[in-house]
Amino acid sequence: MKTIILSLILTALAFSTFAQAPKVPIATPPAPVFTDTERQTELAKRRAQVAAHMQDNSVLVMFSAEPKLYTADVDYVFRQENDLFYLTELKEQNISLVIEKKNGKVTETVYLPKRDPRFETWNGKRYSIDEAKRISGIGNIVDATSFSGYLTSLAKNAAANQSIYLQLPYAEQDAEGKREYRQEAAFAATIPNAKTLNARRIFDDLRLIKSPYEIKLLQHAIDISIEGHMRAWATAGRASWEYEVQAELEYVFKRRNADYWGYPSIVGCGPNATTLHYEESQSPVKAGELMLIDAAAEYSHYSADITRTFPINGKYTKEQADIYQIVYDAQEAAAKTVKPGSKFSDASAAADKVIREGLFKLGLVTDPNSQEYRVWYMHGLGHWIGMNVHDVGSYAKPLAPGMVFTIEPGIYIRADALDYLPDTPKAREFKAKVMPAFEKYKNIGVRIEDDVLVTPTGIEWLSKPLPRKMKDIEDFMKIASKNVPFGAIRPS
Ligand code: GLY
Ligand code: MN
């Protein structure tokens, strides 16, 4: 009996400690597995939703992503265009999808490149017709060589009957759209203007609400990222250079079969933490400084996005903690507003208020009700995540279950921030007043970023297992730094 009670107490103790802060990196749980039927049902549902939004007597034409040039005859690793992937999960180049809606009847056709032993010798296997059918669930697969003839006749006949949906740049200023949708824009130029419609609006709305299937994939990307962050923190105290920490992090991404990172990893020590998208990782790692890691894996086209800022030697200084606590409180305040029906802007306003007041208390702004806080917090609160790290969808819509976004307030005391203020009496006065606090907090940069899901009742923190409170981060680092081997091989 005594043994049972003792073991119960020990189990309870272990659990309560674990609930506060894990002691070693949490191993990524197994990847989600879907049966062919589950995948095909999911994709068929998405295509049906797209078709339901199309006008009658219209056709949607979708092209694969074009290869992206790295240098000379070397391309970047191929990544399928998101909306085509969303409807087919086919990852090959030169595949096209056509959805036609005529008198309410919908037909779907995939144009698939033929198998080609010579091409495959160099570049790997292409899908067979059966494989493409099995993956996408689309029965009508035709040879891609007929696609250009199809486009020509479609353009010729467009005036007579159908409207044609294409993914098009939103405007002249839409540089990303122009880069991504060149083929579509070129084809659109061959069609009378009045007959083209932009399909991206349909996808933007649908992709904003993630299905349970998508959330499983996204959660896996988040889980891999969490393990990566933990390994990086556990080893950072023994690293000499930022790139060594980045290697520990990205080792986990690869080890856990992530597609890649969702965006280039940001691993910045000391002053580098004040550069929002610092990507070089070429500076020394110094005890006593903070390290900001904003990095996440992409899994099956879904990207996480997580940031933490931790002390290299495992203990926040008083000044670092002052800044960290404001950012933490801002994140908490933002999260408290999240529920169906509230707005993204409500969360932003809640975080702003905490930051304004916090900076005022520290002497870094002279008026909490002014825009001065923007000198130290110059980005938005967050963004949708999904198949793009900054995913598609309108921010004006009320929050609804299935939306997933980041909450990522930050404060960055950049060493040159005051040098770039306009030379006005007001700015000079601001500068003089905040100078003592500026000198105290100079070169500290803190961002905390989590991925959250809107649920029917409020919010779920998908990145919750990664410690966020200062005490939990310190506790984790103390033990994990002893438990995790450091992989660097030092030159002798
Ligand atoms: N994670 C980088 C960004 O959100 O801009
Ligand atoms: Mn982000």
Side-chain angles (χ1 to χ4, degrees):
M1 186 64 181
K2 255 190 196 157
T3 341
I4 293 173
I5 291 173
L6 186 67
S7 71
L8 279 176
I9 292 172
L10 284 177
T11 315
L13 269 178
F15 264 97
S16 66
T17 324
F18 187 79
Q20 283 158 15
K23 295 201 175 350
V24 289
I26 300 170
T28 305
V33 178
F34 302 105
T35 63
D36 286 345
T37 309
E38 283 170 331
R39 183 184 56 259
Q40 290 165 6
T41 307
E42 170 81 11
L43 299 178
K45 193 167 152 199
R46 294 179 195 169
R47 292 192 299 269
Q49 282 174 321
V50 168
H53 283 81
M54 289 166 60
Q55 296 177 359
D56 205 14
N57 294 323
S58 68
V59 59
L60 164 67
V61 182
M62 299 179 77
F63 298 69
S64 289
E66 290 183 277
K68 309 251 179 344
L69 185 70
Y70 178 61
T71 180
D73 64 347
V74 180
D75 290 335
Y76 283 100
V77 173
F78 180 74
R79 188 178 183 282
Q80 187 56 282
E81 192 278 321
N82 282 330
D83 294 334
L84 183 59
F85 187 81
Y86 184 69
L87 297 191
T88 64
E89 287 203 9
L90 296 172
K91 291 185 171 180
E92 234 175 72
Q93 293 179 34
N94 299 317
I95 285 178
S96 315
L97 172 68
V98 173
I99 298 182
E100 196 163 2
K101 186 172 177 181
K102 201 165 184 183
N103 303 326
K105 189 169 172 296
V106 176
T107 50
E108 304 164 338
T109 308
V110 167
Y111 288 82
L112 184 74
K114 258 208 180 82
R115 304 279 317 265
D116 174 352
R118 237 161 54 116
F119 173 92
E120 293 182 24
T121 300
W122 284 89
N123 303 302
K125 212 161 102 8
R126 277 182 173 161
Y127 297 126
S128 67
I129 290 177
D130 283 346
E131 254 175 320
K133 276 185 190 168
R134 183 180 61 76
I135 294 169
S136 67
I138 297 174
N140 190 25
I141 311 263
V142 301
D143 184 351
T145 51
S146 61
F147 186 57
S148 71
Y150 169 76
L151 290 184
T152 311
S153 72
L154 185 66
K156 213 160 74 194
N157 298 329
N161 40 40
Q162 291 160 312
S163 298
I164 302 175
Y165 284 92
L166 295 168
Q167 292 157 294
L168 295 168
Y170 276 130
E172 267 309 297
Q173 304 88 305
D174 179 7
E176 286 163 30
K178 280 169 82 174
R179 221 166 34 186
E180 183 83 43
Y181 301 116
R182 281 189 336 165
Q183 303 170 96
E184 290 83 346
F187 175 53
T190 70
I191 307 167
N193 236 346
K195 288 292 173 181
T196 52
L197 296 166
N198 199 340
R200 285 173 69 197
R201 294 179 208 290
I202 298 177
F203 287 97
D204 290 1
D205 284 350
L206 293 179
R207 281 174 46 194
L208 180 52
I209 308 285
K210 271 75 182 172
S211 68
Y213 179 105
E214 291 183 281
I215 290 165
K216 279 187 192 153
L217 293 171
L218 193 47
Q219 182 68 66
H220 194 58
I222 292 169
D223 291 341
I224 296 172
S225 309
I226 289 173
E227 185 182 346
H229 273 257
M230 287 181 156
R231 186 179 172 99
W233 308 358
T235 52
R238 286 166 281 165
S240 304
W241 297 93
E242 292 164 340
Y243 59 79
E244 294 177 302
V245 183
Q246 184 177 346
E248 297 291 338
L249 172 89
E250 292 181 4
Y251 164 80
V252 174
F253 296 177
K254 198 64 192 168
R255 180 77 175 73
R256 297 299 183 197
N257 196 27
D259 300 342
Y260 211 32
W261 37 246
Y263 54 94
S265 301
I266 298 164
V267 179
C269 189
N272 294 333
T274 68
T275 296
L276 306 184
H277 287 174
Y278 171 79
E279 292 171 9
E280 290 98 277
S281 296
Q282 292 295 317
S283 296
V285 172
K286 292 187 187 154
E289 294 198 325
L290 290 179
M291 174 168 271
L292 185 152
I293 297 187
D294 179 346
E298 175 175 300
Y299 184 79
S300 194
H301 261 240
Y302 287 83
S303 179
D305 188 359
I306 300 180
T307 308
R308 288 290 186 272
T309 313
F310 60 94
I312 293 294
N313 61 4
K315 190 102 194 105
Y316 292 89
T317 65
K318 163 82 173 62
E319 289 73 25
Q320 291 164 353
D322 286 348
I323 301 284
Y324 192 99
Q325 194 59 48
I326 300 172
V327 178
Y328 178 92
D329 292 343
Q331 201 194 28
E332 286 282 294
K336 285 205 173 82
T337 69
V338 174
K339 57 174 191 284
S342 74
K343 290 272 183 72
F344 196 87
S345 55
D346 298 332
S348 273
D352 281 9
K353 184 167 184 296
V354 173
I355 291 181
R356 287 164 188 258
E357 287 168 2
L359 290 173
F360 181 65
K361 276 194 196 126
L362 298 187
L364 283 160
V365 299
T366 65
D367 177 359
N369 299 313
S370 71
Q371 290 299 305
E372 288 173 8
Y373 76 112
R374 282 294 176 198
V375 174
W376 314 118
Y377 171 38
M378 60 298 272
H379 58 76
L381 177 72
H383 49 86
W384 312 126
I385 53 171
M387 291 200 284
N388 287 331
V389 63
H390 300 157
D391 210 22
V392 293
S394 160
Y395 287 89
K397 293 200 171 191
L399 297 182
M403 291 183 180
V404 188
F405 59 94
T406 69
I407 305 184
E408 53 171 312
I411 295 177
Y412 314 89
I413 314 300
R414 287 180 67 76
D416 62 359
L418 298 178
D419 302 343
Y420 293 114
L421 296 178
D423 192 18
T424 61
K426 206 162 174 252
R428 281 197 292 275
E429 189 190 336
F430 167 75
K431 205 162 146 175
K433 282 193 175 156
V434 302
M435 193 55 82
F438 168 71
E439 288 298 340
K440 187 169 165 192
Y441 294 107
K442 193 162 71 179
N443 286 324
I444 295 177
V446 173
R447 177 162 67 254
I448 312 174
E449 176 175 34
D450 281 270
D451 301 339
V452 303
L453 166 70
V454 183
T455 66
T457 51
I459 182 170
E460 183 183 340
W461 294 69
L462 301 179
S463 45
K464 188 178 173 136
L466 188 62
R468 199 163 57 89
K469 285 193 173 120
M470 282 183 280
K471 166 96 172 53
D472 290 345
I473 291 175
E474 289 175 348
D475 287 352
F476 170 84
M477 289 183 72
K478 203 149 123 195
I479 298 174
S481 58
K482 296 193 181 80
N483 289 339
V484 179
F486 179 51
I489 303 161
R490 301 212 174 277
S492 50

